[in-house]
Amino acid sequence: MNPSYFRIKLPEEDAVKRLCKEMEGKPFIEKVETTSDKIVQVSLNDQGNWKGSVLYAYEKNGWTIFEDISGSYFSIPANTWLEFAHSEDLIVAGYNDADISGEFIEIKNGKIIKEYLEIMDYPEENINNGSSEYDINNWTDIADYIDSDDLAFSETGTIYIF
């Protein structure tokens, strides 16, 4: 498994506008309203390849959650996420149990409070800075966090392809 997402405390429309401006630097090329069981189907081209960087987005409790379907948002530096977040709260969380890697970034009030990156094959890249209310000290802590996050799933949402 390799679930990965980032969530920002903004309405979806504002979060998508900021994503296009700050992270991608361009507008999305396709937007598709869909259900969770059709995410992959609408994200692949006729040859079975991703149409681009694919995010599945939905809004819950004032947060916009972007599930990273194509794996394009792993290992982005915390300072880049801080530029995206501005002063809004942001959490980035993801792991891959096949290659033993995990990432967790938490930003509150315009400050990086936790930055964690673990990549088993590249231990020189590992980072563990700051502290959070969430006890994140290895990739399995990230898996536990994601599995218990009530915001991290929706039956319906929007696919954005960049």
Side-chain angles (χ1 to χ4, degrees):
M1 284 182 50
N2 58 350
S4 179
Y5 67 88
F6 55 98
R7 60 179 169 97
I8 187 165
K9 190 89 167 157
L10 278 175
E12 185 174 336
E13 183 178 340
D14 296 337
V16 170
K17 284 179 187 175
R18 188 175 299 173
L19 179 71
C20 291
K21 183 180 176 193
E22 301 282 338
M23 296 294 283
E24 290 291 336
K26 61 186 179 201
F28 53 84
I29 57 174
E30 191 173 344
K31 175 182 175 182
V32 181
E33 302 293 326
T34 192
T35 56
S36 62
D37 61 333
K38 294 199 170 62
I39 292 171
V40 173
Q41 179 182 349
V42 302
S43 301
L44 300 177
N45 62 24
D46 293 338
Q47 293 76 39
N49 298 315
W50 296 116
K51 294 177 181 177
S53 295
V54 179
L55 294 171
Y56 177 62
Y58 45 91
E59 195 174 332
K60 278 189 180 178
N61 297 343
W63 291 84
T64 297
I65 298 89
F66 293 96
E67 292 185 20
D68 183 8
I69 304 303
S70 59
S72 302
Y73 292 83
F74 183 76
S75 181
I76 293 174
N79 285 333
T80 301
W81 286 113
L82 181 60
E83 290 173 20
F84 170 67
H86 296 200
S87 61
E88 278 72 44
D89 291 350
L90 174 88
I91 292 181
V92 178
Y95 70 94
N96 186 328
D97 60 3
D99 70 4
I100 312 299
S101 61
E103 175 179 39
F104 184 88
I105 297 169
E106 185 176 8
I107 295 171
K108 281 190 172 195
N109 301 317
K111 294 185 177 144
I112 301 165
I113 65 167
K114 179 68 176 179
E115 178 181 18
Y116 182 87
L117 178 66
E118 179 180 0
I119 306 173
M120 172 135 340
D121 290 342
Y122 301 97
E124 68 278 4
E125 301 290 325
N126 292 354
I127 300 168
N128 189 1
N129 296 326
S131 63
S132 167
E133 67 184 273
Y134 310 108
D135 190 24
I136 305 292
N137 291 299
N138 60 57
W139 75 272
T140 58
D141 293 336
I142 299 165
D144 290 342
Y145 170 82
I146 290 171
D147 290 345
S148 65
D149 187 355
D150 294 335
L151 299 177
F153 179 74
S154 178
E155 289 286 343
T156 61
T158 305
I159 290 288
Y160 292 94
I161 300 173
F162 293 91

